[in-house]
Amino acid sequence: MSCEQLFLEELKKKGYRFTPQREIVLEIMHHLDKPASAEEIFAHVQEITKTVDKSTVYRTLDLLQEFGLVSVIDSGERGHLYEHLGTDKPHLHLACESCGKIFAVDQEAFLPFAEYLADTVGFEVSLQSTTIQGLCSACREKAHSVAVREQVLEETSSN
Amino acid sequence: MSCEQLFLEELKKKGYRFTPQREIVLEIMHHLDKPASAEEIFAHVQEITKTVDKSTVYRTLDLLQEFGLVSVIDSGERGHLYEHLGTDKPHLHLACESCGKIFAVDQEAFLPFAEYLADTVGFEVSLQSTTIQGLCSACREKAHSVAVREQVLEETSSN
DNA sequence: CTCTATGCAAAGCTTTTGCACGTTA
DNA sequence: TAACGTGCAAAAGCTTTGCATAGAG
């Protein structure tokens, strides 16, 4: 079933309505290639039409979440980011604390840990809403070279 | 070295000053038994004295973070939570999306996954600032029994 | 026709900031 | 006595909400 069909079904099931505004927001989400903030999504919507209010975008994102079509990432730096859940495999996110970039990672390697948590403390991990913080490889290298440079400077200045 | 000594050293090192307000906030953090919001920390501070402003609490929490004495947890539901990093082993946090409780988990079982990320995509996980979302065992059971009840209701109503 | 959804404006919350005054080293 | 830190009040983001009106079913 396509996203739109699923959306329609869910709306009907709950007695909600299918409006142009909701259609546009879903359309935008569908074409995102990476997680985006509410502000960014609103900007995309505005490129199509000025007749959708920001509050409607928020309300629609809530709906889409409720239907499981969209997930929210708590990115730390950049606040909440919304991501379309298409036919992608389940995945989790890495957020770089330095540059703010978000990366998607397949869940496979994480599953043993999820299983461990389920077995030991009975915690059921929600992969889609989990974001792992850290440093991406680019920022890691940058940090490393800075560290090296500082070390050199210290050695120089202490002479 | 005790927390207070470390705090003093770091302050001196950076040319910052040791003030009663900073002492009180550190004291409060030291006695927290679980992560707390800025609001909660401020409330605790107020129990001791009314002469510390909320903005000072925020500024001090920033300082403590900078010194590595405090870490911030992005709990989702409950916003930012601050946690004192004592002599505890490195750990990560689980946040229940239903009841909002935070749980600490030793890092050991997570390390293989962290290593996998480092090896495959060069991402360096920051354990202390990572929070895994999901359902705690209590909420899981609750959700399960609700689901069962709904199923029973559906079966009844369809007869 | 009924009841939901929307736009608009205002309010809420958490966190940050500007500034004059108080304090630390 | 020179910076730095603080309280106070205001601002800044981001998100939510109340309400009259528009619009879907």
Side-chain angles (χ1 to χ4, degrees), chain B residues 89-119:
Chain B
K89 285 190 217 161
H91 60 275
L92 39 75
H93 294 101
L94 311 179
C96 178
E97 292 175 318
S98 174
C99 67
K101 281 211 190 79
I102 303 287
F103 306 84
V105 184
D106 264 18
Q107 62 169 346
E108 269 77 35
F110 184 80
L111 290 181
F113 181 63
E115 217 162 283
Y116 166 82
L117 288 179
D119 293 347

mmCIF file of all heavy atoms in Angstrom, chain B residues 89-119:
data_model
loop_
_atom_site.group_PDB
_atom_site.id
_atom_site.type_symbol
_atom_site.label_atom_id
_atom_site.label_comp_id
_atom_site.label_asym_id
_atom_site.label_seq_id
_atom_site.Cartn_x
_atom_site.Cartn_y
_atom_site.Cartn_z
ATOM 1 N N LYS B 89 30.449 4.093 37.078
ATOM 2 C CA LYS B 89 31.012 3.617 35.823
ATOM 3 C C LYS B 89 30.337 4.356 34.680
ATOM 4 O O LYS B 89 29.202 4.812 34.806
ATOM 5 C CB LYS B 89 30.711 2.120 35.657
ATOM 6 C CG LYS B 89 31.546 1.217 36.523
ATOM 7 C CD LYS B 89 31.298 -0.235 36.061
ATOM 8 C CE LYS B 89 31.276 -1.177 37.246
ATOM 9 N NZ LYS B 89 30.631 -2.450 36.945
ATOM 10 N N PRO B 90 31.016 4.431 33.539
ATOM 11 C CA PRO B 90 30.354 4.993 32.362
ATOM 12 C C PRO B 90 29.070 4.221 32.092
ATOM 13 O O PRO B 90 29.056 2.998 32.202
ATOM 14 C CB PRO B 90 31.373 4.755 31.240
ATOM 15 C CG PRO B 90 32.679 4.599 31.923
ATOM 16 C CD PRO B 90 32.378 4.002 33.265
ATOM 17 N N HIS B 91 28.038 4.946 31.761
ATOM 18 C CA HIS B 91 26.767 4.262 31.519
ATOM 19 C C HIS B 91 25.955 5.045 30.510
ATOM 20 O O HIS B 91 26.224 6.203 30.243
ATOM 21 C CB HIS B 91 26.004 4.118 32.831
ATOM 22 C CG HIS B 91 25.693 5.427 33.487
ATOM 23 N ND1 HIS B 91 26.593 6.071 34.313
ATOM 24 C CD2 HIS B 91 24.618 6.223 33.433
ATOM 25 C CE1 HIS B 91 26.058 7.190 34.746
ATOM 26 N NE2 HIS B 91 24.863 7.324 34.219
ATOM 27 N N LEU B 92 24.954 4.399 29.985
ATOM 28 C CA LEU B 92 24.040 5.127 29.111
ATOM 29 C C LEU B 92 22.650 5.061 29.704
ATOM 30 O O LEU B 92 22.418 4.398 30.710
ATOM 31 C CB LEU B 92 24.094 4.602 27.677
ATOM 32 C CG LEU B 92 24.221 3.129 27.395
ATOM 33 C CD1 LEU B 92 22.892 2.462 27.647
ATOM 34 C CD2 LEU B 92 24.651 2.919 25.957
ATOM 35 N N HIS B 93 21.742 5.784 29.095
ATOM 36 C CA HIS B 93 20.408 5.904 29.685
ATOM 37 C C HIS B 93 19.318 5.336 28.797
ATOM 38 O O HIS B 93 19.389 5.404 27.581
ATOM 39 C CB HIS B 93 20.102 7.375 29.980
ATOM 40 C CG HIS B 93 20.974 7.953 31.035
ATOM 41 N ND1 HIS B 93 22.052 8.760 30.748
ATOM 42 C CD2 HIS B 93 20.962 7.807 32.383
ATOM 43 C CE1 HIS B 93 22.657 9.091 31.878
ATOM 44 N NE2 HIS B 93 22.016 8.530 32.876
ATOM 45 N N LEU B 94 18.322 4.796 29.477
ATOM 46 C CA LEU B 94 17.111 4.355 28.807
ATOM 47 C C LEU B 94 15.996 5.296 29.258
ATOM 48 O O LEU B 94 15.890 5.594 30.448
ATOM 49 C CB LEU B 94 16.751 2.931 29.238
ATOM 50 C CG LEU B 94 17.876 1.893 29.198
ATOM 51 C CD1 LEU B 94 17.351 0.540 29.678
ATOM 52 C CD2 LEU B 94 18.449 1.793 27.791
ATOM 53 N N ALA B 95 15.221 5.793 28.319
ATOM 54 C CA ALA B 95 14.096 6.653 28.676
ATOM 55 C C ALA B 95 12.809 5.971 28.253
ATOM 56 O O ALA B 95 12.648 5.600 27.092
ATOM 57 C CB ALA B 95 14.225 8.004 27.983
ATOM 58 N N CYS B 96 11.900 5.790 29.205
ATOM 59 C CA CYS B 96 10.617 5.182 28.871
ATOM 60 C C CYS B 96 9.716 6.239 28.247
ATOM 61 O O CYS B 96 9.454 7.275 28.844
ATOM 62 C CB CYS B 96 9.954 4.571 30.097
ATOM 63 S SG CYS B 96 8.337 3.871 29.695
ATOM 64 N N GLU B 97 9.251 5.938 27.041
ATOM 65 C CA GLU B 97 8.432 6.913 26.308
ATOM 66 C C GLU B 97 7.036 7.033 26.900
ATOM 67 O O GLU B 97 6.313 7.965 26.579
ATOM 68 C CB GLU B 97 8.322 6.488 24.835
ATOM 69 C CG GLU B 97 9.648 6.596 24.111
ATOM 70 C CD GLU B 97 9.573 6.065 22.681
ATOM 71 O OE1 GLU B 97 8.941 5.009 22.486
ATOM 72 O OE2 GLU B 97 10.146 6.709 21.792
ATOM 73 N N SER B 98 6.689 6.080 27.740
ATOM 74 C CA SER B 98 5.344 6.116 28.297
ATOM 75 C C SER B 98 5.306 6.825 29.654
ATOM 76 O O SER B 98 4.547 7.760 29.849
ATOM 77 C CB SER B 98 4.806 4.697 28.429
ATOM 78 O OG SER B 98 3.568 4.700 29.096
ATOM 79 N N CYS B 99 6.165 6.409 30.593
ATOM 80 C CA CYS B 99 6.104 6.994 31.928
ATOM 81 C C CYS B 99 7.200 8.027 32.160
ATOM 82 O O CYS B 99 7.188 8.733 33.166
ATOM 83 C CB CYS B 99 6.183 5.903 33.001
ATOM 84 S SG CYS B 99 7.776 5.057 33.062
ATOM 85 N N GLY B 100 8.155 8.131 31.224
ATOM 86 C CA GLY B 100 9.173 9.170 31.340
ATOM 87 C C GLY B 100 10.329 8.827 32.273
ATOM 88 O O GLY B 100 11.252 9.613 32.415
ATOM 89 N N LYS B 101 10.284 7.670 32.912
ATOM 90 C CA LYS B 101 11.370 7.293 33.824
ATOM 91 C C LYS B 101 12.675 7.095 33.058
ATOM 92 O O LYS B 101 12.688 6.701 31.907
ATOM 93 C CB LYS B 101 11.023 6.000 34.568
ATOM 94 C CG LYS B 101 10.081 6.175 35.731
ATOM 95 C CD LYS B 101 10.376 5.130 36.830
ATOM 96 C CE LYS B 101 9.289 5.123 37.884
ATOM 97 N NZ LYS B 101 8.076 4.394 37.454
ATOM 98 N N ILE B 102 13.770 7.382 33.769
ATOM 99 C CA ILE B 102 15.094 7.202 33.185
ATOM 100 C C ILE B 102 15.808 6.074 33.921
ATOM 101 O O ILE B 102 15.770 6.004 35.147
ATOM 102 C CB ILE B 102 15.936 8.486 33.344
ATOM 103 C CG1 ILE B 102 15.228 9.677 32.705
ATOM 104 C CG2 ILE B 102 17.325 8.296 32.738
ATOM 105 C CD1 ILE B 102 15.230 9.692 31.214
ATOM 106 N N PHE B 103 16.440 5.184 33.169
ATOM 107 C CA PHE B 103 17.196 4.097 33.770
ATOM 108 C C PHE B 103 18.646 4.166 33.313
ATOM 109 O O PHE B 103 18.917 4.550 32.172
ATOM 110 C CB PHE B 103 16.602 2.750 33.354
ATOM 111 C CG PHE B 103 15.131 2.614 33.644
ATOM 112 C CD1 PHE B 103 14.180 3.099 32.752
ATOM 113 C CD2 PHE B 103 14.693 2.026 34.824
ATOM 114 C CE1 PHE B 103 12.815 2.994 33.016
ATOM 115 C CE2 PHE B 103 13.326 1.918 35.096
ATOM 116 C CZ PHE B 103 12.391 2.398 34.195
ATOM 117 N N ALA B 104 19.546 3.790 34.190
ATOM 118 C CA ALA B 104 20.954 3.758 33.817
ATOM 119 C C ALA B 104 21.353 2.324 33.521
ATOM 120 O O ALA B 104 20.903 1.393 34.187
ATOM 121 C CB ALA B 104 21.801 4.320 34.940
ATOM 122 N N VAL B 105 22.193 2.142 32.513
ATOM 123 C CA VAL B 105 22.665 0.808 32.156
ATOM 124 C C VAL B 105 24.165 0.844 31.944
ATOM 125 O O VAL B 105 24.682 1.753 31.298
ATOM 126 C CB VAL B 105 22.024 0.314 30.840
ATOM 127 C CG1 VAL B 105 22.451 -1.112 30.554
ATOM 128 C CG2 VAL B 105 20.527 0.438 30.892
ATOM 129 N N ASP B 106 24.832 -0.153 32.483
ATOM 130 C CA ASP B 106 26.274 -0.254 32.261
ATOM 131 C C ASP B 106 26.585 -0.293 30.778
ATOM 132 O O ASP B 106 25.813 -0.787 29.972
ATOM 133 C CB ASP B 106 26.798 -1.540 32.911
ATOM 134 C CG ASP B 106 27.353 -1.242 34.277
ATOM 135 O OD1 ASP B 106 27.010 -0.175 34.811
ATOM 136 O OD2 ASP B 106 28.127 -2.062 34.788
ATOM 137 N N GLN B 107 27.761 0.205 30.443
ATOM 138 C CA GLN B 107 28.092 0.311 29.034
ATOM 139 C C GLN B 107 28.542 -1.012 28.395
ATOM 140 O O GLN B 107 28.465 -1.153 27.183
ATOM 141 C CB GLN B 107 29.202 1.334 28.858
ATOM 142 C CG GLN B 107 30.487 0.926 29.566
ATOM 143 C CD GLN B 107 31.652 1.801 29.178
ATOM 144 O OE1 GLN B 107 31.573 2.542 28.203
ATOM 145 N NE2 GLN B 107 32.721 1.728 29.936
ATOM 146 N N GLU B 108 28.957 -1.981 29.210
ATOM 147 C CA GLU B 108 29.602 -3.185 28.664
ATOM 148 C C GLU B 108 28.887 -3.791 27.459
ATOM 149 O O GLU B 108 29.465 -3.972 26.395
ATOM 150 C CB GLU B 108 29.766 -4.273 29.736
ATOM 151 C CG GLU B 108 31.100 -4.195 30.467
ATOM 152 C CD GLU B 108 31.100 -3.076 31.497
ATOM 153 O OE1 GLU B 108 30.037 -2.840 32.098
ATOM 154 O OE2 GLU B 108 32.153 -2.423 31.683
ATOM 155 N N ALA B 109 27.608 -4.071 27.637
ATOM 156 C CA ALA B 109 26.886 -4.769 26.575
ATOM 157 C C ALA B 109 26.764 -3.916 25.315
ATOM 158 O O ALA B 109 26.510 -4.418 24.232
ATOM 159 C CB ALA B 109 25.491 -5.167 27.071
ATOM 160 N N PHE B 110 26.942 -2.613 25.491
ATOM 161 C CA PHE B 110 26.789 -1.717 24.350
ATOM 162 C C PHE B 110 28.067 -1.605 23.532
ATOM 163 O O PHE B 110 28.046 -1.276 22.345
ATOM 164 C CB PHE B 110 26.370 -0.329 24.859
ATOM 165 C CG PHE B 110 26.078 0.656 23.772
ATOM 166 C CD1 PHE B 110 24.854 0.637 23.121
ATOM 167 C CD2 PHE B 110 27.019 1.608 23.396
ATOM 168 C CE1 PHE B 110 24.573 1.548 22.114
ATOM 169 C CE2 PHE B 110 26.750 2.522 22.379
ATOM 170 C CZ PHE B 110 25.515 2.484 21.747
ATOM 171 N N LEU B 111 29.191 -1.878 24.191
ATOM 172 C CA LEU B 111 30.492 -1.641 23.556
ATOM 173 C C LEU B 111 30.690 -2.309 22.195
ATOM 174 O O LEU B 111 31.237 -1.680 21.285
ATOM 175 C CB LEU B 111 31.615 -2.024 24.524
ATOM 176 C CG LEU B 111 31.747 -1.054 25.714
ATOM 177 C CD1 LEU B 111 32.893 -1.485 26.631
ATOM 178 C CD2 LEU B 111 31.965 0.380 25.226
ATOM 179 N N PRO B 112 30.247 -3.560 22.024
ATOM 180 C CA PRO B 112 30.426 -4.180 20.697
ATOM 181 C C PRO B 112 29.779 -3.331 19.604
ATOM 182 O O PRO B 112 30.358 -3.171 18.522
ATOM 183 C CB PRO B 112 29.691 -5.516 20.842
ATOM 184 C CG PRO B 112 29.746 -5.825 22.290
ATOM 185 C CD PRO B 112 29.670 -4.506 22.995
ATOM 186 N N PHE B 113 28.606 -2.793 19.878
ATOM 187 C CA PHE B 113 27.923 -1.972 18.881
ATOM 188 C C PHE B 113 28.690 -0.674 18.631
ATOM 189 O O PHE B 113 28.860 -0.238 17.488
ATOM 190 C CB PHE B 113 26.488 -1.660 19.325
ATOM 191 C CG PHE B 113 25.716 -0.847 18.334
ATOM 192 C CD1 PHE B 113 25.444 -1.358 17.068
ATOM 193 C CD2 PHE B 113 25.275 0.425 18.652
ATOM 194 C CE1 PHE B 113 24.731 -0.604 16.134
ATOM 195 C CE2 PHE B 113 24.565 1.183 17.722
ATOM 196 C CZ PHE B 113 24.295 0.665 16.461
ATOM 197 N N ALA B 114 29.204 -0.090 19.704
ATOM 198 C CA ALA B 114 29.998 1.135 19.566
ATOM 199 C C ALA B 114 31.229 0.866 18.701
ATOM 200 O O ALA B 114 31.601 1.678 17.849
ATOM 201 C CB ALA B 114 30.410 1.656 20.942
ATOM 202 N N GLU B 115 31.813 -0.294 18.927
ATOM 203 C CA GLU B 115 32.996 -0.671 18.167
ATOM 204 C C GLU B 115 32.650 -0.865 16.693
ATOM 205 O O GLU B 115 33.373 -0.438 15.798
ATOM 206 C CB GLU B 115 33.549 -1.982 18.727
ATOM 207 C CG GLU B 115 35.064 -2.052 18.735
ATOM 208 C CD GLU B 115 35.512 -3.139 19.694
ATOM 209 O OE1 GLU B 115 35.483 -2.895 20.934
ATOM 210 O OE2 GLU B 115 35.867 -4.230 19.209
ATOM 211 N N TYR B 116 31.500 -1.490 16.472
ATOM 212 C CA TYR B 116 31.028 -1.704 15.111
ATOM 213 C C TYR B 116 30.865 -0.373 14.385
ATOM 214 O O TYR B 116 31.294 -0.209 13.241
ATOM 215 C CB TYR B 116 29.703 -2.466 15.150
ATOM 216 C CG TYR B 116 28.948 -2.476 13.849
ATOM 217 C CD1 TYR B 116 29.252 -3.381 12.834
ATOM 218 C CD2 TYR B 116 27.903 -1.564 13.628
ATOM 219 C CE1 TYR B 116 28.555 -3.384 11.641
ATOM 220 C CE2 TYR B 116 27.199 -1.554 12.431
ATOM 221 C CZ TYR B 116 27.538 -2.461 11.438
ATOM 222 O OH TYR B 116 26.851 -2.448 10.261
ATOM 223 N N LEU B 117 30.289 0.599 15.077
ATOM 224 C CA LEU B 117 30.089 1.917 14.460
ATOM 225 C C LEU B 117 31.429 2.577 14.150
ATOM 226 O O LEU B 117 31.609 3.187 13.087
ATOM 227 C CB LEU B 117 29.275 2.830 15.384
ATOM 228 C CG LEU B 117 27.794 2.491 15.514
ATOM 229 C CD1 LEU B 117 27.116 3.467 16.474
ATOM 230 C CD2 LEU B 117 27.103 2.498 14.157
ATOM 231 N N ALA B 118 32.358 2.449 15.083
ATOM 232 C CA ALA B 118 33.679 3.036 14.869
ATOM 233 C C ALA B 118 34.353 2.407 13.658
ATOM 234 O O ALA B 118 34.929 3.102 12.813
ATOM 235 C CB ALA B 118 34.533 2.848 16.121
ATOM 236 N N ASP B 119 34.242 1.094 13.557
ATOM 237 C CA ASP B 119 34.919 0.387 12.471
ATOM 238 C C ASP B 119 34.265 0.618 11.112
ATOM 239 O O ASP B 119 34.938 0.760 10.102
ATOM 240 C CB ASP B 119 34.943 -1.126 12.748
ATOM 241 C CG ASP B 119 35.821 -1.454 13.948
ATOM 242 O OD1 ASP B 119 36.581 -0.554 14.369
ATOM 243 O OD2 ASP B 119 35.734 -2.582 14.460
#
